[in-house]
Amino acid sequence: YGLIQCGSRELGRGRYVAAVDLFRQALAIQQELRAEHGQVAARLGIGLALYHLGEPAEARRWLGQAAEQARRIGHRRRLMEALIGLGLAEIAAGQPLAARDCLTEAVSVARDSESRGNLAAGLAALARAARALGNLTAALAHAAEAVHIAREIAAPVGEMWGALEMGLTLLAQ
């Protein structure tokens, strides 16, 4: 998991090309070890880095693989993370209906798992998909719920994301 941690650190620092390289190395090792949890983490990291590099088609492929593998092995946290990333990549690729579907699943899994942080993130992303579909009422409702949850769990980044989605939705009205 050392390479996955290094890749995650690079991802967090905005060094996306380096992150992709580290996650690819990690994936090769995790495949050799037949360690599916590690494979999911590496695929998720590759997909998120590619999304940030402005490559939504490739990001969708990797995040879709991560979501499918996470679903198959029952790794709910990684499933939520992959579905949220996939939803954002779908929006970036101009596929808001596909985004809505995977983000709705992410929110459902988060509610069932009582994962408040992933729920706030999923709702903020779902607000973006609803806005892209022209459903501004739903976008505001999702964003407002994301802000409320983020405040409850003291997650300032989640609160800012939800507030941003609310503001963008209000501007679109």
Side-chain angles (χ1 to χ4, degrees), residues 4-20 22-23:
I4 292 170
Q5 290 173 334
C6 290
S8 296
R9 185 176 56 243
E10 294 303 295
L11 186 63
R13 292 178 176 169
R15 298 177 186 157
Y16 305 122
V17 173
V20 169
L22 288 164
F23 285 126

Side-chain angles (χ1 to χ4, degrees), residues 76-171:
R76 295 170 71 77
R77 181 173 59 90
R78 291 289 190 214
L79 175 59
M80 289 179 274
E81 293 168 352
L83 289 169
I84 292 167
L86 180 57
L88 292 171
E90 294 286 10
I91 293 166
Q95 300 297 321
L97 285 172
R100 183 193 60 200
D101 292 346
C102 60
L103 292 167
T104 298
E105 182 183 356
V107 166
S108 176
V109 173
R111 285 191 200 284
D112 291 346
S113 302
E114 298 182 11
S115 176
R116 310 279 288 157
N118 281 320
L119 179 56
L123 286 164
L126 189 54
R128 187 176 296 181
R131 190 175 69 253
L133 289 166
N135 189 343
L136 302 183
T137 302
L140 278 175
H142 296 316
E145 187 178 359
V147 168
H148 176 74
I149 291 166
R151 282 184 182 152
E152 283 184 346
I153 63 171
V157 173
E159 185 176 346
M160 287 187 320
W161 186 11
L164 172 66
E165 294 302 329
M166 284 179 70
L168 291 172
T169 301
L170 290 170
L171 287 173

